[in-house]
Amino acid sequence: MYSSEFQESLKKVEAAREANIAYEPARMTAQEKEELLAAYHPDYKKSEFSTLKVGPNKGEVVPHELCELLEANSRIKASDVDLNDVKYDVDVLIIGAGGAGTSAAVEAHNAGANTMIVTKLRMGDANTMMAEGGIQAADKENDSPATHFVDAFGGGHFAAKRELLAKLVCDAPGAIKWLNELGVEFDKDENGTMITTHGGGTSRKRMHAAKDYSGAEIMRTLRDEVINLGIPVVDFTSAVELILDENGKAAGAVLMNMETKELMVARAKTVVIATGGAGRMHYQGFPTSNHYGATADGLVLGYRAGAKLLYADTLQYHPTGAAYPQQIFGALVTEKVRSLGAKLINCDGKVFMHPLETRDVAAASIIRECSDRNSGIDTGSGKAVWLDTPMIEKIGGEGTIEKRIPAMMRMFASYGIDIRKEPILIYPTLHYQNGGLDINVNGMTTNVENLFVAGEAVGGIHGRNRLMGNSLLDIIVFGRNAGINAAAASKNVTVGKLTLSHIEKYDAEREAAGIKTDAVSPMLLPDYRGNKSGI
């Protein structure tokens, strides 16, 4: 039952709806944004970060939870594995089977490389499936990759690696064309022209979508392509350690069957890490929109083997995670809801920010509203604000919600909430790993040869904050990029003697730093019984 306070707030929202639709709140100035972020965004809470004592990023700060995994014991010792007993021998080994991994596999295969995917769950069990709002590309009149670059560079606080961001935006129109030709069912008008909308921080309408299940539709198409091409996929099998050769180059991985715990050796001329994000680390106790396997595995594997991290201290807290009912706490409420006209409203029925500010600014605004301003609504599990979804049909006409965001409508309808008639309650949810492994424009890590990275495990593409729609874009652009370049590199590789000596070297560094821990990594899967080391 709704409390009287809850019902009173709901009445205020409904009473003010017509006025709020007409009200256009001002965007914040650059100074206002910086002050807001410094005061309320989780990335700025210094008490929530630790300084790394070992590895390529020694002396830099990362979240406590990630630091524990980066400085943990390996799941294996070199003596546990017979490196001469090679189970799989391929040109390109791809670790991860989401959008980035499957894109890489398709391109590597098409380039003639003997390619294999290994994934700890199933193909498509990835954050790609959770992406709803769309994919950006400047492929219409009055837009350009240069304008896309400016939007994304500013949205990322001018911290993106320019060459990576330039590749992202310049390859974007080709990525949309590639997906369309593979069979992705993008939203189109009666003339067959793709429908595009605004996203937070965008100056042009360049968001291409498949209703509000864009990621699922892209993943469906890529999964079918992998199957049709006959690319082998080893599922329910994790990479628990990278293998280097005697020259320090990536040369495969130690794989572990998730059921039997059997260890197997996969030798490869090149390796692609496409393991996705870290939402299931629940940094700072936040709920998450991420899939079950998002536990920063790729960062751990790459780091222990010597690959450098970039911006590992930055995360994205999506401003609109479901805050009510409890059963879907943290589930993603796509930014497309705001693109279509819904505004963020406090307990008094007032619009408190422009609906299409960048995600970090929007998240910080909501946190401020629920804390210092005491203008949040008590859900029984914490504070939240309203997202006034009935505005969408007031603006776009009856049927807009069912046509444009049907998955969102169904999710809330399962709990008796009709978002066409009732606003919903939201609060920021841990959504995206802005930082990751440092790569060059060809997708190879900057200091481990023949180790490529694609997707959310990459750092530097988006700087310190990502705009909506640029993640589905980067998994395609940099997934394809990694596959093409890993395949090309493999043609000139002769794999040396396999070794796991980097484990002992890392252990020695940890001992010298005085690190004592029982934790092991990678985590692989979260354990909600309280065991931080995962399975």
Side-chain angles (χ1 to χ4, degrees):
M1 295 293 292
Y2 295 150
S3 68
S4 58
E5 177 189 359
F6 191 106
Q7 293 174 352
E8 186 63 31
S9 178
L10 184 57
K11 289 178 183 177
K12 290 178 181 178
V13 175
E14 292 170 342
R17 183 167 294 135
E18 294 295 339
N20 283 336
I21 289 173
Y23 174 57
E24 184 69 20
R27 287 188 180 270
M28 296 181 194
T29 66
Q31 181 65 32
E32 287 173 334
K33 290 178 182 179
E34 288 304 316
E35 291 174 355
L36 174 71
L37 292 170
Y40 296 99
H41 195 278
D43 279 356
Y44 292 74
K45 293 180 71 173
K46 293 182 179 179
S47 61
E48 297 294 334
F49 295 84
S50 298
T51 301
L52 286 166
K53 298 177 182 177
V54 294
N57 293 77
K58 180 180 177 179
E60 296 181 18
V61 298
V62 296
H64 296 317
E65 299 87 345
L66 180 59
C67 184
E68 181 180 15
L69 289 190
L70 292 175
E71 295 183 347
N73 302 287
S74 173
R75 284 189 168 270
I76 63 170
K77 294 181 174 63
S79 58
D80 295 335
V81 185
D82 180 359
L83 294 175
N84 294 312
D85 182 15
V86 177
K87 173 82 170 180
Y88 304 103
D89 201 353
V90 297
D91 295 332
V92 180
L93 174 66
I94 297 168
I95 304 170
T102 51
S103 295
V106 168
E107 292 290 26
H109 173 89
N110 288 341
N114 177 13
T115 304
M116 184 179 86
I117 299 173
V118 60
T119 177
K120 66 183 174 185
L121 295 173
R122 301 164 300 178
M123 183 164 48
D125 286 335
N127 282 345
T128 304
M129 285 291 293
M130 324 295 279
E132 298 168 343
I135 175 172
Q136 285 203 49
D139 59 357
K140 289 192 172 182
E141 293 181 3
N142 195 36
D143 200 2
S144 68
T147 305
H148 189 177
F149 181 98
V150 170
D151 287 347
F153 196 51
H157 301 281
F158 308 98
K161 291 182 74 169
R162 288 173 176 266
E163 65 273 23
L164 299 186
L165 182 55
K167 182 168 186 62
L168 180 77
V169 300
C170 290
D171 287 7
I176 295 293
K177 183 174 184 290
W178 185 70
L179 290 172
N180 188 55
E181 290 174 349
L182 283 178
V184 171
E185 296 285 347
F186 286 111
D187 295 340
K188 298 174 182 175
D189 63 20
E190 61 274 10
N191 299 315
T193 301
M194 291 191 193
I195 297 169
T196 51
T197 58
H198 273 299
T202 64
S203 60
R204 301 288 188 275
K205 291 183 178 181
R206 67 173 73 95
M207 202 68 57
H208 303 65
K211 295 184 168 57
D212 60 344
Y213 43 82
S214 304
E217 171 62 9
I218 289 171
M219 193 68 247
R220 175 196 67 80
T221 306
L222 291 172
R223 183 177 55 232
D224 286 353
E225 188 69 5
V226 168
I227 293 170
N228 291 339
L229 292 173
I231 299 169
V233 179
V234 183
D235 56 12
F236 296 110
T237 301
S238 296
V240 294
E241 200 67 60
L242 292 179
I243 298 172
L244 305 180
D245 70 10
E246 58 192 338
N247 301 308
K249 300 176 183 179
V254 177
L255 310 181
M256 184 183 78
N257 182 296
M258 293 290 283
E259 182 178 5
T260 67
K261 304 301 184 284
E262 175 192 3
L263 297 177
M264 298 162 285
V265 173
R267 180 167 57 195
K269 295 176 179 177
T270 57
V271 178
V272 178
I273 288 177
T275 51
R280 291 291 166 170
M281 304 281 286
H282 293 289
Y283 296 123
Q284 300 188 35
F286 271 79
T288 186
S289 63
N290 284 192
H291 82 107
Y292 189 55
T295 50
D297 295 356
L299 273 58
V300 172
L301 295 174
Y303 192 74
R304 195 149 51 220
K308 189 175 182 181
L309 299 173
L310 183 63
Y311 303 147
D313 58 324
T314 64
L315 288 303
Q316 182 165 93
Y317 297 82
H318 196 292
T320 55
Y324 183 88
Q326 181 66 32
Q327 295 95 320
I328 54 171
F329 187 51
L332 182 63
V333 175
T334 173
E335 193 167 311
K336 191 174 182 180
V337 176
R338 286 177 285 141
S339 298
L340 292 172
K343 292 179 182 177
L344 291 159
I345 313 290
N346 66 20
C347 68
D348 296 318
K350 296 179 180 178
V351 177
F352 59 89
M353 59 164 284
H354 192 284
L356 292 179
E357 293 284 9
T358 57
R359 285 179 171 177
D360 55 351
V361 170
S365 295
I366 293 165
I367 292 170
R368 177 178 63 181
E369 209 68 20
C370 293
S371 55
D372 287 5
R373 289 187 174 178
N374 199 29
S375 296
I377 300 94
D378 188 356
T379 67
S381 301
K383 295 285 188 176
V385 298
W386 297 106
L387 182 57
D388 198 5
T389 49
M391 283 185 172
I392 294 172
E393 304 225 324
K394 292 277 187 180
I395 295 168
E398 187 176 345
T400 300
I401 286 176
E402 186 170 8
K403 181 179 180 182
R404 301 297 297 278
I405 48 172
M408 198 58 43
M409 186 179 82
R410 288 195 299 271
M411 180 171 75
F412 280 93
S414 298
Y415 300 97
I417 298 171
D418 186 344
I419 68 172
R420 297 169 297 185
K421 300 175 182 178
E422 304 172 60
I424 57 178
L425 287 163
I426 59 88
Y427 190 78
T429 185
L430 182 53
H431 183 60
Y432 190 81
Q433 176 178 273
N434 287 324
L437 295 163
D438 191 10
I439 63 169
N440 60 31
V441 75
N442 291 324
M444 189 187 295
T445 58
T446 53
N447 52 343
V448 178
E449 196 170 340
N450 296 337
L451 180 61
F452 295 78
V453 192
E456 197 170 341
V458 174
I461 299 172
H462 309 287
R464 291 185 167 273
N465 180 59
R466 177 181 62 77
L467 298 188
M468 171 194 182
N470 278 349
S471 61
L472 281 180
L473 177 59
D474 92 49
I475 64 173
I476 304 303
V477 169
F478 285 93
R480 297 179 70 194
N481 180 59
I484 290 167
N485 289 309
S490 72
K491 295 176 181 179
N492 302 310
V493 171
T494 300
V495 178
K497 182 180 178 182
L498 302 185
T499 174
L500 289 170
S501 60
H502 67 279
I503 299 177
E504 292 180 359
K505 180 181 176 183
Y506 198 73
D507 283 346
E509 189 178 354
R510 289 168 55 249
E511 186 175 354
I515 296 170
K516 297 184 186 299
T517 177
D518 293 326
V520 296
S521 63
M523 180 184 287
L524 302 183
L525 295 174
D527 187 337
Y528 289 103
R529 295 170 299 181
N531 176 6
K532 291 185 178 181
S533 296
I535 67 163

